[in-house]
């Protein structure tokens, strides 16, 4: 038999000790109780995996436990006063014996991989002052016995998987508690209104990232020592306690993404937060004007009031906050202009004024904010040119000017921003050629470039291949570009998205595209690239989404497209593709959407569709397909939209379609189908569009469901079993003859 590992070699006398302390109340083995502590520590050790061998190599009975790693003892007696094992990668549950360390003052097991429940026995540690179990995987509810820890100063249980409600009486006797951290758990329910009534020393409260609900307790505003208060990413509702805006020590107020907090922030007469450094109300329903009381918060570093319903101009008093580093007023009802005085904010790192109604030009002196790394002015009504002075922002990593009315050419000075990572100026009135791409080749950190929906003209220059090799997204759709993709595009080795749709490209796809082995998304649709689809595209093995629709291609679909095993979406509609559809295309088991409509495909669909288990959209309409509708369509139980109209299918509607219970739209019109209308169609709960017109169907129309008026001689309507008394008949009625 193999020898046991070191972690399991426990001397016999230790096993006796473990047995002696297994009862709910410790029974001392000798007068000073050190044996109880030894046994408790060994029980703690034996229940844990120790991949770094910290306990295995150090916690041995050959040395006093007072010299073990992470263990501290009192000076007067050999009793454990602190157990601190931070970032030691311990795995497993905490033994209940830890509750026998009756002299324990500090228990810190932060950032390990501890699981299971927090032992209720911790409630016996009456001398405990610091309980820190953050960054583990503790689950279940918070033990109510923690309310017995009346000497507790610090309680940190954040970043775990704790669930249930916060014990309502947990803080009732914790008069010395200064901080409570329960963030990043799965806690639910309300915070009782009396929860903080007996915690006069409370300085820090963090309940963020849970699912707590209800109002913020009014008692919070009576905590005169409070410095940190965060309840972000919960489901709180109602008004904030107004007295919170008059707390002299408060440094952090975080209410981000509580969704249902509402009301108006008090005016400067009742707003006094002299020490405030971080203030975020983002993602709620606050209204009114921006609180002018913030103008006196001279220590303010982060101010985020985004995604609310404030209606105001961008206040000029913001420029008088010398320490401001993050300012986000986006997604409000912003009006007026961008203050020129913002250039005084020399410490500003991030500025977001997006999704408002700002007008006028972008002040050139924003280029004086040299610390700026993030600038978002998108979705406003800004006019004029992009200031060349923005090129002075050498630390800028993200610049978004999209969805405005900017005009003129893109300044080449943007190429001076060596830190640029994301550049978005799509949906404007920008014009001229793409010479600025040469300057952007100096931005070696650039990953995203979106210049779509403008009026750029000329060719896509070959020096697009000189852009950063870190570029992952290149979007130039909806412009007036001519020519084609240059051969040098293959230099962009890490690119995963190319969208040049809705331009005037005429040249064929270069064979060098095969070099883009990381390409995931390719959209060349709505151009004039008449000619065959290059077979090299069948070698883009990372491709997941392919859009080649709208009068581009002739010939046939290369059979090698069946090798694109990761393909999820393919749209080849509105081309002049002919011949038969390759059977290999229907074997792509990750395919979700397939659109081959409005082409010249011929022949029968003599294939098995069973591989397309994930497909939810299929349109093969407006071709010259013949034969019967394959029975294997019935195996596509994820299908919500099926369009086989405007072909030459004959025979009956397959009974296997009865399995397609998720169908929302079925169009089999303009074929040569015969037989009866299947009764099962009346049972399709989600079906809202059904078109069986212009076939040779006979017999009775089924009753119920979509067929709420069986005497109608029209089978082209939008319908729903929830509508009563009759469906809404399409304005384009097409009659058929029923025999």
């Amino acid at each position: 038999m193999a020898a046991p590992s070191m972690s399991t070699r426990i001397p016999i006398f230790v096993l006796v000790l473990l047995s002696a302390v297994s009862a709910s109340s410790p029974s001392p083995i000798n007068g000073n109780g050190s044996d109880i502590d030894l046994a408790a520590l060994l029980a703690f050790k034996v229940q844990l995996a120790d991949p770094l061998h910290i306990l295995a190599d150090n916690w041995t009975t050959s040395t006093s436990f007072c010299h073990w790693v992470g263990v501290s003892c009192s000076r007067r007696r050999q009793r454990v006063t602190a157990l601190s094992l931070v970032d030691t990668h311990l795995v497993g549950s905490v033994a209940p014996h830890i509750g026998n360390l009756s002299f324990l003052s500090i228990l810190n097991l932060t950032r390990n991989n501890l699981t299971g429940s927090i032992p209720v026995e911790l409630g016996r540690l009456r001398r405990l002052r610091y309980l820190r179990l953050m960054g583990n995987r503790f689950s279940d509810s918070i033990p109510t016995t923690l309310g017995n820890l009346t000497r507790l100063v610090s309680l940190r249980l954040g970043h775990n998987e704790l669930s249930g409600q916060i014990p309502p009486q947990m803080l009732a006797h914790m008069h010395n508690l200064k901080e409570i951290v329960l963030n990043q758990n799965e806690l639910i329910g309300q915070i009782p209104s009396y929860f903080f009534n007996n915690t006069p020393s409370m300085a820090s409260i963090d309940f963020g990232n849970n699912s707590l609900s209800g109002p913020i307790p009014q008692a919070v505003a009576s905590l005169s020592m409070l410095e940190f208060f965060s309840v972000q990413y919960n489901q709180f509702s109602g008004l904030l306690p107004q007295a919170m805006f008059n707390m002299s020590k408060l440094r952090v107020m975080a209410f981000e993404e509580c969704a249902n907090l509402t009301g108006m922030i008090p005016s400067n007469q009742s707003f006094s937060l002299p020490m405030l450094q971080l203030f975020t109300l983002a993602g709620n329903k606050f209204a009114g004007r921006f609180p002018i009381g913030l103008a006196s918060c001279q220590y303010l570093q982060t101010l985020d009031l985004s995604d609310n319903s404030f209606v105001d101009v961008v206040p000029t008093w913001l420029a008088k906050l010398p320490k401001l580093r993050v300012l986000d007023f986006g997604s409000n009802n912003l009006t007026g202009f961008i203050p020129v005085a913002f250039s005084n904010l020399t410490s500003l790192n991030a500025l977001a004024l997006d999704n408002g109604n700002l007008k006028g030009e972008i002040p050139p002196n924003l280029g004086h904010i040299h610390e700026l790394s993030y600038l978002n002015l998108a979705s406003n009504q800004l006019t004029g040119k992009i200031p060349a002075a923005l090129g002075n922002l050498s630390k800028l990593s993200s610049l978004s000017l999209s969805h405005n009315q900017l005009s003129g050419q893109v300044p080449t000075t943007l190429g001076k921003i060596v830190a640029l990572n994301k550049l978005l100026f799509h949906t404007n009135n920008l014009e001229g050629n793409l010479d600025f791409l040469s300057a952007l080749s100096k931005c070696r950190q650039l990953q995203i470039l979106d210049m779509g929906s403008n009026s750029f003209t000329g060719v896509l220059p070959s020096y697009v291949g000189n852009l950063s090799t870190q570029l992952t997204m290149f979007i130039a759709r909806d412009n007036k570009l001519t020519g084609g993709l240059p051969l040098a595009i293959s230099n962009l080795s890490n690119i995963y998205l190319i969208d040049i749709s809705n331009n005037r490209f005429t040249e064929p796809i270069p064979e060098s595209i095969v070099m883009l082995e990381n390409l995931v998304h390719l959209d060349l649709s709505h151009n004039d690239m008449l000619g065959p689809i290059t077979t090299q595209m069948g070698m883009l093995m990372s491709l997941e989404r392919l859009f080649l629709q709208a009068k581009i291609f002739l010939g046939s679909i290369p059979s090698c497209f069946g090798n694109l095993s990761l393909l999820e979406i393919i749209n080849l509609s509105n081309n002049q593709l002919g011949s038969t559809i390759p059977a290999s295309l229907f074997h792509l088991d990750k395919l979700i959407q397939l659109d081959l409509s409005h082409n010249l495909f011929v022949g029968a669909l003599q294939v098995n569709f069973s591989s397309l288990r994930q497909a939810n959209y299929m349109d093969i309409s407006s071709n010259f397909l013949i034969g019967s509708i394959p029975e294997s369509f019935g195996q596509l139980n994820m299908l919500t939209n099926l369009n086989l109209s405007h072909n030459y299918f004959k025979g009956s509607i397959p009974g296997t379609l009865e399995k397609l219970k998720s169908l929302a739209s079925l169009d089999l019109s303009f074929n040569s189908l015969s037989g009866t209308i299947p009764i099962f169609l009346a049972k399709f709960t989600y079906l809202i569009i059904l078109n069986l017109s212009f076939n040779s169907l006979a017999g009775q129309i089924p009753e119920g469901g979509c067929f709420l008026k069986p005497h109608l001689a029209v089978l082209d309507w939008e319908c729903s079993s929830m509508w009563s008394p009759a469906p809404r008949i399409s304005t384009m009625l097409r009659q058929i003859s029923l025999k």
Side-chain angles (χ1 to χ4, degrees):
M1 184 173 63
S5 65
M6 288 295 295
S7 61
T8 59
R9 293 176 182 171
I10 304 177
I12 295 297
F13 82 92
V14 173
L15 295 177
V16 173
L17 292 178
L18 293 179
S19 175
V21 299
S22 62
S24 59
S25 300
S27 300
I29 292 188
N30 60 28
N32 59 27
S34 61
D35 289 337
I36 294 176
D37 287 2
L38 173 61
L41 291 173
L42 290 173
F44 171 79
K45 173 187 176 181
V46 79
Q47 202 155 308
L48 298 172
D50 179 21
L52 300 183
H53 296 280
I54 292 173
L55 305 186
D57 296 343
N58 187 268
W59 282 30
T60 63
T61 54
S62 60
T63 59
S64 168
F65 59 76
C66 291
H67 297 135
W68 289 357
V69 169
V71 178
S72 299
C73 293
S74 60
R75 294 181 180 180
R76 291 188 301 167
R77 54 177 66 87
Q78 198 177 29
R79 301 300 303 272
V80 176
T81 58
L83 177 58
S84 182
L85 294 165
V86 178
D87 290 318
T88 48
H89 298 269
L90 298 176
V91 180
S93 59
V94 176
H97 305 77
I98 208 77
N100 295 326
L101 298 174
S102 56
F103 277 73
L104 200 64
S105 175
I106 299 172
L107 178 58
N108 190 354
L109 303 176
T110 300
R111 292 189 299 276
N112 283 286
N113 195 18
L114 302 174
T115 56
S117 304
I118 296 174
V120 296
E121 288 80 6
L122 295 186
R124 300 208 306 257
L125 302 174
R126 303 283 182 162
R127 291 181 171 86
L128 201 63
R129 290 170 55 82
Y130 299 90
L131 177 57
R132 296 176 174 173
L133 305 178
M134 290 184 67
N136 285 285
R137 293 171 54 200
F138 287 112
S139 56
D140 300 323
S141 58
I142 299 172
T144 58
T145 56
L146 296 188
N148 299 330
L149 305 177
T150 58
R151 297 187 184 182
L152 211 59
V153 172
S154 172
L155 175 61
R156 297 185 182 179
L157 306 179
H159 292 267
N160 279 289
E161 299 171 8
L162 299 170
S163 58
Q165 297 188 0
I166 301 172
Q169 298 295 329
M170 186 169 68
L171 305 188
H173 303 291
M174 293 185 183
H175 306 297
N176 301 308
L177 196 65
K178 292 184 177 180
E179 67 169 349
I180 178 170
V181 179
L182 303 178
N183 67 313
Q184 293 281 358
N185 278 289
E186 300 167 12
L187 301 171
I188 60 172
Q190 298 189 14
I191 303 174
S193 58
Y194 53 83
F195 197 64
F196 296 106
N197 285 358
N198 299 306
T199 57
S201 301
M202 187 69 73
S204 180
I205 299 171
D206 191 351
F207 287 176
N209 297 82
N210 282 286
S211 296
L212 299 169
S213 57
I216 306 293
Q218 293 289 328
V220 171
S222 65
L223 302 174
S224 60
M225 305 300 291
L226 195 63
E227 299 180 17
F228 184 103
F229 186 75
S230 173
V231 292
Q232 62 186 5
Y233 293 95
N234 278 285
Q235 299 168 19
F236 292 109
S237 58
L239 302 173
L240 292 182
Q242 295 294 285
M244 286 196 72
F245 295 99
N246 197 8
M247 301 181 74
S248 61
K249 294 182 180 293
L250 205 54
R251 294 183 295 106
V252 172
M253 296 178 69
F255 300 95
E256 182 175 356
E257 296 295 341
C258 286
N260 293 311
L261 292 175
T262 187
M264 300 177 69
I265 309 302
S267 63
N268 58 329
Q269 287 81 10
S270 55
F271 191 115
S272 179
L273 296 168
M275 304 305 293
L276 194 62
Q277 296 179 21
L278 183 149
F279 184 49
T280 172
L281 302 176
N284 284 287
K285 297 178 180 178
F286 292 101
R289 301 188 65 180
F290 297 122
I292 194 172
L294 290 168
S296 62
C297 300
Q298 293 297 295
Y299 295 100
L300 195 61
Q301 297 181 27
T302 297
L303 176 57
D304 188 351
L305 306 183
S306 64
D307 198 11
N308 279 285
S309 298
F310 291 108
V311 181
D312 205 348
V313 298
V314 181
T316 55
W317 49 256
L318 289 167
K320 299 179 181 180
L321 299 176
K323 297 185 181 296
L324 201 60
R325 300 182 62 186
V326 176
L327 175 60
D328 191 346
F329 278 10
S331 297
N332 282 288
N333 295 311
L334 301 174
T335 60
F337 304 89
I338 300 173
V340 175
F342 271 14
S343 59
N344 296 331
L345 297 172
T346 54
S347 298
L348 202 62
N349 296 139
L351 173 61
L353 302 174
D354 56 297
N355 288 286
N357 296 296
L358 295 175
K359 58 185 180 180
E361 298 185 355
I362 300 172
N365 60 358
L366 290 186
H368 298 161
I369 311 176
H370 296 296
E371 296 299 316
L372 206 60
S373 63
Y374 178 90
L375 177 59
N376 187 354
L377 305 177
S379 300
N380 283 288
Q381 300 175 33
L382 299 173
T383 56
K385 297 182 178 181
I386 299 175
L390 294 185
N392 297 327
L393 302 175
S394 59
K395 296 183 180 180
L396 197 65
S397 63
S398 178
L399 174 60
S400 181
L401 306 175
S402 304
H403 290 281
N404 279 288
Q405 299 170 26
L406 300 172
S407 58
Q409 297 187 338
V410 177
T412 57
T413 53
L414 296 183
K416 295 164 54 180
I417 310 176
V418 294
L420 200 59
N421 178 275
K422 180 190 296 184
L423 178 58
L424 311 175
F425 46 81
H426 64 86
T427 318
N428 279 285
N429 300 319
L430 298 169
E431 57 188 5
N433 57 35
L434 304 184
D435 287 348
F436 62 88
L437 291 179
S438 178
L440 290 179
S441 64
K442 300 174 184 176
C443 305
R444 305 314 297 170
Q445 307 300 317
L446 193 62
Q447 294 186 23
I448 299 175
L449 175 59
D450 190 346
M451 54 184 178
S453 300
N454 282 286
S455 297
F456 293 117
T457 56
V459 299
L460 189 60
S462 61
Y463 44 75
V464 69
N466 296 334
L467 292 173
S468 167
T469 54
Q470 297 188 41
L471 195 71
T472 59
M473 297 177 62
F474 178 76
I475 302 173
R477 63 171 179 256
D478 297 302
N479 281 287
K480 301 174 183 178
L481 301 175
T482 57
L485 279 174
L487 294 173
I489 198 78
S490 61
N491 295 341
L492 305 178
S493 55
N494 285 306
I495 201 157
Y496 77 83
L497 184 150
I498 296 176
D499 186 350
I500 59 169
S501 60
N502 288 284
N503 278 284
R504 299 172 181 174
F505 290 115
T506 56
E507 296 180 8
I509 303 169
E511 294 185 356
S512 62
I513 199 171
V514 72
M515 303 294 291
L516 303 179
E517 58 183 25
N518 294 306
L519 193 63
V520 169
H521 181 121
L522 178 62
D523 192 344
L524 307 178
S525 60
H526 298 278
N527 280 285
D528 297 309
M529 297 177 175
L530 289 176
I533 301 175
T534 176
T535 57
Q536 266 68 24
M537 293 185 66
M539 301 175 66
L540 297 174
M541 303 307 294
S542 297
L543 207 59
E544 296 178 10
R545 295 178 289 277
L546 177 61
F547 302 91
L548 302 178
Q549 69 267 29
K551 297 182 181 177
I552 307 175
F553 297 106
L554 308 168
S556 59
I557 301 175
S559 59
C560 57
F561 269 30
N563 298 329
L564 302 177
S565 59
L566 300 180
L567 210 57
E568 296 177 357
I569 300 174
I570 181 169
N571 192 334
L572 303 178
S573 64
N574 291 282
N575 283 291
Q576 299 178 43
L577 296 169
S579 187
T580 58
I581 302 173
S584 59
L585 204 61
F586 300 110
H587 296 156
L588 299 173
D589 57 6
K590 289 184 170 55
L591 207 61
I592 297 174
Q593 296 182 20
L594 173 65
D595 193 342
L596 304 178
S597 63
H598 297 276
N599 277 286
L600 307 173
F601 295 116
V602 299
L605 290 179
Q606 296 178 346
V607 294
N608 190 334
F609 288 87
S610 61
S611 296
L612 305 182
R613 297 281 186 178
Q614 300 186 54
N616 62 32
Y617 180 97
M618 187 175 296
D619 189 347
I620 317 179
S621 64
S622 299
N623 282 286
F624 296 92
L625 301 173
I626 61 174
S628 58
I629 297 176
E631 298 273 343
S632 57
F633 269 121
Q635 300 183 44
L636 310 185
N637 53 15
M638 300 291 289
L639 211 57
T640 60
N641 291 269
L642 177 61
N643 191 345
L644 303 178
S645 66
H646 293 83
N647 280 288
Y648 294 94
F649 290 114
K650 61 183 181 179
S652 60
I653 299 174
T656 55
L657 297 189
E658 183 177 9
K659 300 176 182 178
L660 306 183
K661 299 186 183 301
S662 297
L663 271 183
S665 176
L666 175 63
D667 191 346
L668 304 179
S669 64
F670 288 91
N671 279 287
S672 299
L673 299 173
S674 58
T676 59
I677 301 172
I679 297 175
F680 61 75
L681 290 176
K683 301 178 182 179
F684 281 10
T685 307
Y686 303 105
L687 195 62
I688 59 175
I689 297 175
L690 174 63
N691 193 348
L692 305 178
S693 62
F694 289 94
N695 279 287
S696 299
L697 299 170
Q700 288 188 327
I701 299 175
E703 297 182 3
C706 288
F707 309 96
L708 294 178
K709 281 203 169 184
H711 64 275
L712 286 177
V714 176
L715 293 179
D716 178 13
W717 58 61
E718 294 181 3
C719 54
S720 170
S721 58
M722 298 176 65
W723 296 349
S724 180
R728 178 166 64 88
I729 302 176
S730 172
T731 57
M732 298 294 292
L733 301 180
R734 303 187 186 98
Q735 291 192 340
I736 63 171
S737 59
L738 299 178
K739 296 180 181 179

